[in-house]
């Protein structure tokens, strides 16, 4: 039996469905998803293990052009790195988006031509055909990408509804070389339990709060203790200003309570265990622009 293994890195603009794709491929919510752009801040590995292959997918933050905060520069560095260590690149975009940017055109072209790394262009959200979009729009989108990259394979998919997922895996396997597994076969990610707690709370903040709040928040889990019947978790949420702390906590602590209850449900679902969660909100001034603080937060 031939055993294949390799690194498949997912890149694309914000909000196109990168995290949705990695979760649906791996079969577990290892990367957080919201309707807001720039949800993903880290590079997260999701590992798909089958009898005769191990594919290590890597989710990345959305590519952004205007980098205001230092954290956004770091996020873009994660993408650059992920372009370098890939065996295959999945460049994901969505139906009806014609937003290609020169900077990334050169980057992709360079990888494709000089480094010889295979790329597959995925056109996501095609489940919206007949609902939000006409079929013609898909043809236009395919034509657009094919004109930019005439030699690169294009595959329409729906990450949400798993349309063409098997086809995608088969295409990936065609490109992968014979190689023993890089990670133990029971692994689904390279990240710790605490990381997932941080991310689930962060996802809930994205869903419950508006404007700058999600972008100004960082979550750090200080304690994660497993007992027979439950897990004890103590997490800090850092925001940049006093006023943000007030909003996060809300009148008589109501908003924070809601955040806590929503998070508990999701964390329980993730670990399949009862959770006792304690959250404390703290201020860490301008953490998004401070190299040392970002380093402490694991960036
Ligand atoms: N209809 C539809 N919606 C999708 C699909 N894939 C993702 N979405 C939605 O698109 C939004 C963004 O999804 P994410 O997976 O967070 O996108 P992302 O590319 O990881 O975004 P960033 O991390 O911010 O760069 C969410 O509301 C998803 O539910 C799809 O195949 N069909
Ligand atoms: Mg994401």
């Amino acid at each position: 039996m031939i055993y294949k293994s390799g690194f498949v890195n997912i890149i694309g603009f914000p909000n196109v469905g990168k995290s949705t794709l990695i979760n649906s491929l791996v079969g577990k919510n290892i990367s957080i998803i919201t309707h807001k752009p720039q949800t993903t801040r880290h590079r997260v590995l999701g590992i798909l293990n089958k009898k005769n292959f191990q594919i290590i997918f890597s989710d990345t933050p959305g590519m952004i052009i205007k980098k205001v905060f230092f954290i956004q520069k770091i996020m873009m560095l994660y993408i650059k790195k992920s372009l370098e260590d890939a065996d295959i690149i999945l460049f994901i975009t969505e139906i009806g988006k014609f937003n290609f940017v020169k900077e990334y055109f050169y980057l992709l072209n360079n990888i494709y031509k000089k480094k010889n790394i295979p790329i597959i262009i995925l056109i996501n959200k095609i489940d919206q055909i007949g609902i939000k979009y006409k079929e013609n729009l898909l043809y236009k989108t395919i034509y657009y990408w094919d004109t930019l990259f005439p030699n690169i394979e294009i595959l329409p998919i729906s990450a949400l509804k798993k349309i063409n997922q098997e086809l995608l895996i088969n295409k990936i396997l065609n490109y992968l070389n014979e190689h023993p597994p890089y990670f133990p076969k029971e692994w689904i990610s390279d990240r710790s339990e605490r990381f997932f707690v941080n991310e689930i709370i962060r996802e809930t903040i994205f869903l419950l709060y508006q404007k700058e709040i999600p972008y100004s928040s960082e979550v750090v889990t200080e304690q994660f203790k497993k007992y027979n019947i439950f897990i004890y978790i103590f997490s800090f949420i850092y925001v940049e200003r006093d006023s943000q702390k007030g909003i996060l906590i809300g009148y008589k602590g109501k908003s924070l309570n809601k955040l806590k209850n929503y998070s508990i449900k999701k964390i329980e679902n993730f670990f399949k265990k009862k959770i006792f969660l304690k959250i404390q909100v703290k201020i860490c001034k301008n953490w998004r622009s401070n190299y040392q603080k970002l380093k402490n937060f694991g960036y």
Side-chain angles (χ1 to χ4, degrees):
M1 186 181 77
I2 294 180
Y3 190 93
K4 291 185 167 187
S5 185
F7 291 82
V8 178
N9 299 349
I10 303 171
I11 59 165
F13 292 105
N15 227 29
V16 294
K18 298 179 293 302
S19 302
T20 308
L21 179 66
I22 199 168
N23 289 349
S24 94
L25 285 163
V26 173
K28 180 137 178 120
N29 293 340
I30 54 144
S31 200
I32 60 172
I33 297 169
T34 78
H35 56 291
K36 295 196 172 89
Q38 294 183 48
T39 303
T40 305
R41 289 181 190 159
H42 294 273
R43 194 174 162 192
V44 186
L45 300 190
I47 305 168
L48 175 62
N49 285 298
K50 290 278 151 125
K51 214 170 128 199
N52 52 348
F53 65 84
Q54 177 179 73
I55 306 177
I56 303 123
F57 292 99
S58 156
D59 189 15
T60 56
M63 299 163 153
I64 41 175
I65 305 302
K66 221 174 115 203
K67 305 160 200 101
V68 179
F69 297 99
F70 194 62
I71 183 173
Q72 294 172 316
K73 289 191 184 141
I74 296 182
M75 283 157 64
M76 294 311 102
L77 274 182
Y78 291 154
I79 298 176
K80 288 221 163 102
K81 265 194 214 153
S82 87
L83 291 176
E84 281 161 13
D85 62 20
D87 292 313
I88 300 169
I89 286 166
L90 302 180
F91 176 81
I92 165 164
T93 177
E94 61 178 89
I95 176 169
K97 278 248 157 82
F98 305 95
N99 58 348
F100 206 67
V101 182
K102 258 193 195 155
E103 196 178 335
Y104 288 109
F105 177 80
Y106 292 125
L107 199 73
L108 272 187
N109 229 2
N110 202 26
I111 289 168
Y112 184 67
K113 289 203 172 131
K114 287 199 186 136
K115 300 207 167 134
N116 230 358
I117 301 175
I119 301 176
I120 304 173
I121 296 175
L122 301 177
I123 296 171
N124 193 26
K125 308 196 185 179
I126 60 163
D127 56 286
Q128 293 292 314
I129 294 174
I131 301 167
K132 202 170 152 193
Y133 305 121
K134 289 191 176 134
E135 198 157 354
N136 245 341
L137 192 63
L138 175 63
Y139 304 146
K140 268 194 200 166
T141 316
I142 293 175
Y143 176 78
Y144 175 79
W145 290 99
D146 186 55
T147 316
L148 281 170
F149 298 104
N151 301 314
I152 296 182
E153 195 167 1
I154 301 174
L155 181 68
I157 60 158
S158 164
L160 199 66
K161 305 281 180 196
K162 296 183 191 276
I163 299 173
N164 282 344
Q165 185 155 305
E166 266 199 44
L167 194 61
L168 173 60
I169 291 175
N170 285 334
K171 282 185 190 296
I172 292 171
L173 287 173
N174 276 341
Y175 284 120
L176 282 189
N177 292 325
E178 201 172 342
H179 197 284
Y182 287 93
F183 290 95
K185 284 188 182 171
E186 67 281 4
W187 283 28
I188 53 156
S189 182
D190 60 328
R191 295 290 182 158
S192 67
E193 289 160 324
R194 284 174 201 229
F195 175 81
F196 292 119
V197 173
N198 298 344
E199 289 288 277
I200 291 170
I201 297 174
R202 217 163 57 71
E203 178 180 73
T204 316
I205 297 172
F206 263 78
L207 295 174
L208 293 182
Y209 297 87
Q210 308 306 321
K211 293 184 183 153
E212 273 303 287
I213 299 288
Y215 298 101
S216 309
S217 302
E218 180 66 18
V219 182
V220 177
T221 295
E222 282 290 318
Q223 288 187 50
F224 183 98
K225 265 185 157 169
K226 269 188 180 164
Y227 294 93
N228 264 344
I229 51 167
F230 77 109
I231 307 173
Y232 174 90
I233 299 172
F234 183 18
S235 307
F236 289 116
I237 299 173
Y238 290 95
V239 286
E240 295 191 306
R241 290 195 301 273
D242 239 342
S243 57
Q244 294 166 341
K245 180 174 171 178
I247 295 170
L248 214 74
I249 294 173
Y251 180 63
K252 288 189 174 167
K254 270 195 178 156
S255 306
L256 186 63
N257 249 336
K258 191 171 171 187
L259 168 66
K260 207 171 92 172
N261 292 332
Y262 276 49
S263 303
I264 287 175
K265 277 199 193 122
K266 288 199 267 181
I267 301 170
E268 285 185 339
N269 192 32
F270 188 90
F271 291 104
K272 305 281 179 247
K273 239 185 173 167
K274 283 279 168 205
I275 299 293
F276 179 90
L277 176 65
K278 195 175 150 189
I279 297 181
Q280 197 177 328
V281 184
K282 287 188 165 188
I283 292 163
C284 183
K285 283 212 165 81
N286 299 326
W287 65 265
R288 280 185 291 175
S289 307
N290 185 310
Y291 175 76
Q292 195 51 45
K293 285 175 182 164
L294 285 165
K295 221 174 151 191
N296 293 344
F297 286 151
Y299 288 98

